[in-house]
Amino acid sequence: MDWPNPHHCLLNIKRDDLIHPIISGNKWRKLKYSLCHALENDCSHIVSFGGGFSNHLHALAYCCKQLNIKFTAIVRGDYRANPSPMLQDLSQWQSDIHYVDKLTYQRREKPEYLALLQKEYPDAMIIPEGGSNTLALQGVAEIVNELSGHYDYIVAPVASGATLAGLIHATHQTSCKILGIGVLKGEGYLEELVQQLLPQSYGHWSINHEYHCGGYAKSNIELRDFCRDFYQQTQVDIEPVYSGKLFFALRHLIQQAYFPVNSRILALHTGGLQGAR
């Protein structure tokens, strides 16, 4: 790549987007042990949450189809008149899709709402939006276990917080720093999401909030042009919701000499290309 690199940083990409054509990247990492828990406990029904282009719902619905587990997707917004490609896939995989309004969706983490859902679906395992629970940390830690070399920084996009929390927990005894790139407007909020998932407080991580391009799933011409040019140069697929913002931020930070001289940087491609559809 023809990026200005005044501090001569070395940038490697971990291609978690290549794990599987459908269950790629951090979606599999975060879901793996929740699905293991469901199988070990003979769970016959899973419920979870997401938007109309949710990579999480897409991956989870596919897994449930393969494992013969009933899946209910609670979707923010009403897409019945114009279902997204992701929702068309869910229908093909015999998922139950329940559309809810924005106010109802905002209650997805409230204990009273979850209690109502559990009453409605008494045999179901409820998985949070994005798969962000403590079981996710164990799956994300396997990313670090797979690394063959040392890195000064691991950089990843941040939305629901579990991927970053898993990376932080897995590296807390090393000198590696974890840098999140916020993909939505959430300064303070994203930090709180991450901290809630961690068993204790760690000091070797931070989140940069300068590259969300206006909010979740928001983009601009510069970001879209960057995603196109990045693919032409590298043949690595990225999209403007998660991975595009990650690499867009990295190019700028490297150019601005944000990282110390000769830093070894690992960018985590977390997969999830539903936003590009």
Side-chain angles (χ1 to χ4, degrees), residues 8 11 17 33 42 51 53-54 62 68 106-107 117 126 135 143 165 168 174 182 197 203 205 238 245 249 256 277:
H8 308 289
L11 175 63
D17 58 312
Y33 288 99
D42 297 319
F53 293 85
S54 168
Y62 179 83
N68 197 31
Q106 287 176 346
R107 300 170 60 206
L117 281 180
I126 300 175
L135 289 170
I143 296 171
I168 293 163
T174 74
L197 290 166
W205 65 280
I238 59 174
K245 291 178 180 179
Q256 297 299 313
R277 298 175 74 187

Side-chain angles (χ1 to χ4, degrees), residues 76 158-159 181-187 190 209-220 223 239-242 245:
R76 180 185 64 248
V158 188
I181 303 299
V183 302
L184 51 85
K185 286 184 178 179
E187 188 165 359
L190 289 179
H209 295 275
E210 297 177 7
Y211 300 96
H212 54 67
C213 297
Y216 182 71
K218 300 289 182 66
S219 64
N220 53 36
L223 176 60
E239 40 65 48
V241 181
Y242 297 100
K245 291 178 180 179

Side-chain angles (χ1 to χ4, degrees), residues 23-216:
I23 325 163
S24 69
N26 67 339
K27 304 311 170 192
W28 170 244
R29 303 291 191 177
K30 292 193 287 183
L31 289 171
K32 177 179 178 180
Y33 288 99
S34 286
L35 290 168
C36 288
H37 179 78
L39 292 174
E40 289 164 2
N41 290 276
D42 297 319
C43 175
S44 60
H45 187 190
I46 288 176
V47 177
S48 196
F49 313 85
F53 293 85
S54 168
N55 294 292
H56 163 69
L57 290 182
H58 194 251
L60 183 52
Y62 179 83
C63 288
C64 287
K65 174 66 174 175
Q66 298 302 308
L67 296 171
N68 197 31
I69 297 173
K70 180 182 178 182
F71 179 57
T72 296
I74 298 176
V75 177
R76 180 185 64 248
D78 191 341
Y79 290 80
R80 281 175 290 192
N82 187 25
S84 66
M86 185 279 289
L87 290 167
Q88 293 174 41
D89 285 345
L90 263 63
S91 294
Q92 269 193 330
W93 298 330
Q94 288 83 51
S95 302
D96 288 334
I97 302 173
H98 289 192
Y99 298 106
V100 298
D101 59 34
K102 184 177 179 181
L103 288 176
T104 301
Y105 193 81
Q106 287 176 346
R107 300 170 60 206
R108 65 195 179 277
E109 297 175 359
K110 301 294 185 183
E112 61 273 16
Y113 178 64
L114 293 174
L116 286 173
L117 281 180
Q118 200 71 74
K119 186 176 181 180
E120 184 176 357
Y121 307 115
D123 299 323
M125 175 182 180
I126 300 175
I127 295 179
E129 180 184 47
S132 296
N133 55 22
T134 54
L135 289 170
L137 303 190
Q138 188 177 352
V140 173
E142 293 178 354
I143 296 171
V144 177
N145 297 339
E146 291 169 5
L147 300 179
S148 58
H150 166 75
Y151 291 94
D152 301 298
Y153 290 86
I154 298 177
V155 190
V158 188
S160 60
T163 299
L164 206 71
L167 294 172
I168 293 163
H169 185 56
T171 58
H172 73 277
Q173 293 183 324
T174 74
S175 60
C176 180
K177 296 181 176 63
I178 305 300
L179 175 63
I181 303 299
V183 302
L184 51 85
K185 286 184 178 179
E187 188 165 359
Y189 167 72
L190 289 179
E191 283 84 354
E192 184 178 345
L193 287 181
V194 172
Q195 192 60 62
Q196 286 173 352
L197 290 166
L198 292 170
Q200 63 187 78
S201 180
Y202 301 119
H204 66 298
W205 65 280
S206 61
I207 299 176
N208 185 298
H209 295 275
E210 297 177 7
Y211 300 96
H212 54 67
C213 297
Y216 182 71

